[in-house]
Amino acid sequence: MEKIKEILSRGVEEVIDREHLAKKLFLGKPLRIKLGIDPTSPNIHIGRAIPLLKLRDFQNLGHKVVLIIGDGTGVIGDTSDKDSERPMLDVKTIKQNMKTYVKQAEKILDIKKCEIKYNSVWLKKLGYSEIGNQADQFSLHEMIMRENIKKRLDEGKRISFRELLYPLMQGYDSVAVKADVELGGTDQRFNLLAGRNLQKYYGQEPQDIITNPLIEGTDGRKMSSSWGNTINLFDSSDEMFGKTMSLPDELIIKYFTLVTRVPMAEIEKIKKMLNPRDQKARLAFEIVKIYHGEKSAQKAEEEFNKIFRDKEMPTEMTEFEINKEEIFYPELIYVSGAASSTSVAKRLIVDGAVEIDNKKDKEWRKIIKIKDGMVVRVGKRRFVKIKLKK
């Protein structure tokens, strides 16, 4: 009973239809719980962990998890959370992006007990006649009154007809897998409801819906791969710990609630801790523990304290061997792998993000004399030890 109540409340924005779903859960009937993820980026970030953890909660209660990799919907692109038209992706990019999606999801789910589906299998079979029948279940008014679509129309921005087809595609996924429940973010509400509509049309019982809040990234803006403010499921333990420690203090409790499974009673105690840094260190530990285990979490915390509290060098760092005794400053940062180009290296130097042997120098127009063992630091967590080839 308590687990069911928590499933319907923790990290939940809305349940449709709450009474109907609660009754099914209390009766103990095994349900088919659906989540779709479009491979628009190679990484699944921790914002996606919110519904993935909810899937695991359902899995632990004996329900069947249906994870859909949107290799069909990903090509079209969901515009629900976008302020401008989302470009179509080619099939090659989608295939490349989704190579490790199942392994990433496995960090949270018991994959052996999941049904893994690829929605291109059924979406490619649909023709104009069937899509026309599906489209007939919705009015143009319903489509264009969606918050983001309406906002773009009011601003005179282009809306492609392709974007209006996306809810049909996601909705038909629910028909194809006979979903009893679908999970998704609040920005997915219209798409989730489309699943209910299409299930009615195809003679199925409409799915219930659970929406979760969206989460902010490391810079306080909405977490997005395109903004680079993500904590990714495949990040190393040190990266994951460090990124979590960089979060704004006001996000600490939200993160505890949404992306960990620390008991809510324990979170209430954490709220009373006086030092936000201590709260954040506990949060970082709990997050790393989920994806890398407790020993790695302990090691990551020790390493973080060594670098940022005790101002020491990391235990391990990347090494770069060079056979020049002198080199242009931005070129050193680039060739050592600490920046993606010399122009980026220049910007980092000017912004004060580069240190050599703990000394910051913003003058980029200079030649650096190479010393064997010198350490280049870019940003807070990127260290490279320079080795002089003799």
Side-chain angles (χ1 to χ4, degrees), residues 46-256:
I46 208 168
R48 291 288 195 181
I50 302 171
L52 284 169
L53 285 167
K54 186 70 67 178
L55 278 183
R56 190 179 72 182
D57 295 338
F58 275 109
Q59 202 171 44
N60 289 341
L61 284 178
H63 299 287
K64 173 59 71 175
V65 164
V66 184
L67 180 64
I68 297 177
I69 310 297
D71 60 335
T73 43
V75 172
I76 299 299
D78 183 15
T79 192
S80 297
D81 63 341
K82 300 300 176 187
D83 294 326
S84 58
E85 185 176 352
R86 190 169 200 157
M88 285 186 70
L89 295 177
D90 59 82
V91 174
K92 184 179 178 181
T93 300
I94 290 292
K95 284 184 177 178
Q96 184 64 33
N97 285 348
M98 71 183 188
K99 274 186 175 180
T100 63
Y101 263 42
V102 173
K103 286 186 178 180
Q104 291 181 67
E106 196 172 18
K107 292 273 188 179
I108 296 175
L109 300 172
D110 183 345
I111 289 295
K112 292 179 182 177
K113 294 181 179 179
C114 294
E115 286 183 23
I116 308 295
K117 304 286 189 181
Y118 296 86
N119 63 11
S120 64
V121 173
W122 52 79
L123 291 178
K124 284 194 294 188
K125 295 177 182 178
L126 296 176
Y128 269 116
S129 176
E130 193 66 20
I131 294 169
N133 289 332
Q134 292 177 9
D136 195 43
Q137 310 310 307
F138 305 89
S139 70
L140 180 60
H141 180 77
E142 287 175 301
M143 290 288 191
I144 65 176
M145 288 308 292
R146 296 160 61 192
E147 184 179 350
N148 241 38
I149 297 294
K150 185 178 184 302
K151 182 171 180 281
R152 283 167 58 190
L153 282 172
D154 291 343
E155 293 172 353
K157 294 181 179 178
R158 182 178 188 267
I159 308 288
S160 69
F161 201 81
R162 159 179 60 92
E163 296 174 81
L164 302 184
L165 294 177
Y166 189 93
L168 304 184
M169 300 170 76
Q170 182 172 329
Y172 188 67
D173 287 351
S174 296
V175 175
V177 302
K178 296 181 172 61
D180 294 306
V181 182
E182 183 171 12
L183 311 183
T186 51
D187 59 330
Q188 293 282 304
R189 191 177 190 274
F190 186 87
N191 299 340
L192 302 171
L193 289 170
R196 286 173 63 89
N197 284 0
L198 289 180
Q199 283 179 312
K200 287 179 189 175
Y201 170 71
Y202 284 99
Q204 295 181 12
E205 183 179 353
Q207 65 186 10
D208 293 310
I209 292 167
I210 298 178
T211 64
N212 60 262
L214 305 181
I215 202 162
E216 294 84 359
T218 52
D219 59 1
R221 297 183 295 172
K222 181 195 161 192
M223 187 172 286
S224 170
S225 297
S226 58
W227 286 340
N229 63 353
T230 59
I231 300 171
N232 300 316
L233 305 196
F234 264 14
D235 281 345
S236 69
S237 53
D238 288 340
E239 277 184 296
M240 201 172 272
F241 197 98
K243 287 181 180 181
T244 305
M245 291 299 291
S246 71
L247 287 171
D249 292 350
E250 60 269 21
L251 295 179
I252 295 171
I253 301 304
K254 185 175 185 179
Y255 264 69
F256 265 115

